[in-house]
Amino acid sequence: MEEQQLVYMDHAATTAVHPEVVEAMIPYLHGHYGNPSSIYSIAQEAKEAVGSARVSLATALGADVDEIYFTSGGTESDNWAIKGVTYANRKRGDHIITSKIEHHAILHTCQYLEKQGFKITYLPVDQYGLVDPGDLERSITDKTILVSVMYANNEIGTIEPVQELASITHEHGVYFHTDAVQAVGHVPVSVRSTGIDLLSLSGHKFNGPKGTGALFIRKGVRIDNILHGGAQERNRRAGTENLAGIVGTGKAIELATTGIEEKGVRIRTMRDRLLRGIQDSIQNTRLNGHPLKRLPGNLNVSFDYIEGESMLLLLDSFGICASTGSACTSGSLEPSHVLLATGLPAETAHGSLRLTVDTDNTNEEVDYVLSTLPRVVSRLREMSPLGKQVTS
Ligand code: PLP
């Protein structure tokens, strides 16, 4: 393989828009560009297209069509769920429970509410990144109004015991929200059988367009609006619909959930080969996240005596796109809050590499990463006083 060929293994950061998704969107950028709120025929076509995309998402999640609300992405959905439920239920209580390893869209929203006087419990996780259902049970008080625990973690891929957490939450009459941005389109997700009251998803994580997403709100959940203005989304989320984006998200979820189990097996096989190859060729490595309860495409490993940002730059010079910590935290020198929460020392957390594999990766690309990474690691270790003591 040519050294400068691009090997994209950062699918947890974002994915390419699927060609069929692009094709589905184009007519709604011109031709059928009407405002779904208008009454002439091109507007009606637009309205129908939004309706079909809603059906696609509802079908994928096992939800009712009128429980799906389109948003501008995962961040907006998370903000809406947390702030909307908190404000609507403030008379019942002022306590929210989440976990220490949530995405900043949840953590920063909770910190914002904390400044307004709400009380937040940040549940710890074990060495694999799992929340203990017993900890949740012990944290719920008669003032708790919302529990929000992510479906799967964006950095280490750990899949949380969401069904059990939701069931404990419901026993106390509290709402359960999950940030399923990394899970939807990658593992089967069913809101009904899991007992989820609110769920956030994002189109660009499953080959849909960026700036698109949705919030599932179970019928009957008390939630305030966060965006005020027009009557769109059945009076709940104001703003002219991102028509082409919504159509694209609908198409993307259909494609992503077709054969999802088989695709998962193929992706997992590539991911596991990567892991074995890395462990066989590089000393002093550690797998982060749960060995089995994890997203099929996620691999997160730490290399002792390495600085993650340098590793990314060197990999980039070989055409390999990867990540250290989450895309949102790279650029800051803070070690990943997720890895620290699993008990990793800061130095080890700094030397972590996240490779996220998807269906558009190939076995040749896996081979290329496996032949390049050991060279990169050994070059960086040679430059570090402690790293010189290990061979690669
Ligand atoms: N939640 C999780 C778990 C994520 O991984 C991300 C994005 O990386 C988000 C929320 C934010 O989603 P968006 O990029 O659509 O705003």
Side-chain angles (χ1 to χ4, degrees):
M1 182 184 290
E2 289 291 313
E3 280 206 338
Q4 283 317 307
Q5 188 170 332
L6 187 77
V7 175
Y8 187 79
M9 288 205 185
D10 200 17
H11 292 88
T14 196
T15 57
V17 180
H18 193 288
E20 286 184 46
V21 171
V22 176
E23 216 176 290
M25 289 171 70
I26 287 173
Y28 295 93
L29 293 165
H30 57 87
H32 305 312
Y33 55 80
N35 185 326
S37 302
S38 305
I39 55 165
Y40 32 78
S41 23
I42 60 163
Q44 289 311 302
E45 283 158 7
K47 192 174 173 182
E48 276 162 29
V50 171
S52 317
R54 208 184 302 282
V55 171
S56 302
L57 276 179
T59 308
L61 299 176
D64 285 350
V65 179
D66 51 8
E67 293 175 316
I68 303 293
Y69 296 87
F70 289 109
T71 66
S72 65
T75 300
E76 185 190 325
S77 298
D78 283 347
N79 269 263
W80 186 9
I82 303 284
K83 292 179 196 159
V85 169
T86 301
Y87 293 150
N89 296 278
R90 66 201 320 166
K91 288 210 181 87
R92 284 177 47 206
D94 61 357
H95 181 225
I96 300 153
I97 301 175
T98 186
S99 84
K100 286 188 177 173
I101 62 162
E102 299 295 311
H103 189 271
H104 286 131
I106 297 286
L107 291 179
H108 290 169
T109 305
C110 287
Q111 285 159 17
Y112 170 78
L113 291 172
E114 226 166 355
K115 284 195 207 126
Q116 297 180 10
F118 292 98
K119 312 217 169 26
I120 319 283
T121 299
Y122 299 93
L123 294 173
V125 291
D126 69 8
Q127 59 174 317
Y128 301 119
L130 286 170
V131 169
D132 176 355
D135 282 341
L136 171 64
E137 177 106 61
R138 285 184 289 277
S139 304
I140 298 178
T141 72
D142 56 359
K143 295 273 182 258
T144 309
I145 47 179
L146 178 66
V147 172
S148 177
V149 176
M150 67 201 319
Y151 203 107
N153 183 267
N154 44 305
E155 294 191 36
I156 55 176
T158 299
I159 298 178
E160 298 296 337
V162 173
Q163 187 165 355
E164 205 179 337
L165 298 174
S167 147
I168 291 168
T169 303
H170 288 160
E171 279 166 25
H172 296 266
V174 176
Y175 291 135
F176 184 83
H177 166 254
T178 189
D179 174 343
V181 164
Q182 292 289 338
V184 169
H186 299 283
V187 289
V189 173
S190 159
V191 287
R192 219 60 84 200
S193 58
T194 315
I196 294 165
D197 298 308
L198 302 111
L199 173 145
S200 306
L201 64 88
S202 173
H204 75 105
K205 306 292 187 182
F206 51 86
N207 301 105
K210 294 172 184 52
T212 66
L215 181 64
F216 156 79
I217 307 175
R218 185 181 56 70
K219 245 175 264 162
V221 168
R222 283 165 60 110
I223 181 166
D224 276 2
N225 293 353
I226 295 301
L227 287 186
H228 304 277
Q232 291 88 356
E233 295 298 282
R234 303 176 302 290
N235 275 318
R236 279 197 147 165
R237 193 272 185 185
T240 301
E241 296 85 346
N242 173 4
L243 175 60
I246 288 172
V247 169
T249 304
K251 185 70 189 174
I253 196 73
E254 282 171 26
L255 294 170
T257 48
T258 305
I260 192 165
E261 311 262 11
E262 296 76 9
K263 283 188 279 195
V265 170
R266 196 152 68 78
I267 293 166
R268 190 176 294 118
T269 307
M270 281 192 279
R271 190 272 314 274
D272 289 347
R273 203 158 71 75
L274 261 179
L275 173 62
R276 274 195 309 276
I278 289 171
Q279 287 172 331
D280 288 350
S281 60
I282 306 175
Q283 288 181 28
N284 298 70
T285 63
R286 176 193 194 277
L287 173 69
N288 296 313
H290 196 280
L292 300 173
K293 294 174 190 166
R294 70 189 299 141
L295 292 170
N298 175 289
L299 180 62
N300 189 313
V301 275
S302 292
F303 303 101
D304 289 346
Y305 322 117
I306 295 267
E307 209 278 298
E309 302 280 320
S310 325
M311 183 162 41
L312 289 195
L313 289 172
L314 258 183
L315 285 171
D316 181 45
S317 73
F318 288 99
I320 298 171
C321 305
S323 170
T324 180
S326 79
C328 311
T329 54
S330 65
S332 86
L333 284 174
E334 287 292 301
S336 142
H337 66 284
V338 174
L339 294 175
L340 293 184
T342 65
L344 269 200
E347 318 83 75
T348 317
H350 269 305
S352 78
L353 177 72
R354 182 187 72 180
L355 293 163
T356 39
V357 180
D358 211 337
T359 43
D360 52 7
N361 288 123
T362 62
N363 278 318
E364 280 179 349
E365 290 177 338
V366 170
D367 290 338
Y368 179 63
V369 172
L370 286 177
S371 68
T372 310
L373 189 57
R375 285 192 277 155
V376 165
V377 171
S378 89
R379 199 189 295 178
L380 290 172
R381 280 181 174 168
E382 274 160 23
M383 285 154 49
S384 125
L386 284 171
K388 279 194 185 121
Q389 295 163 14
V390 290
T391 47
S392 63

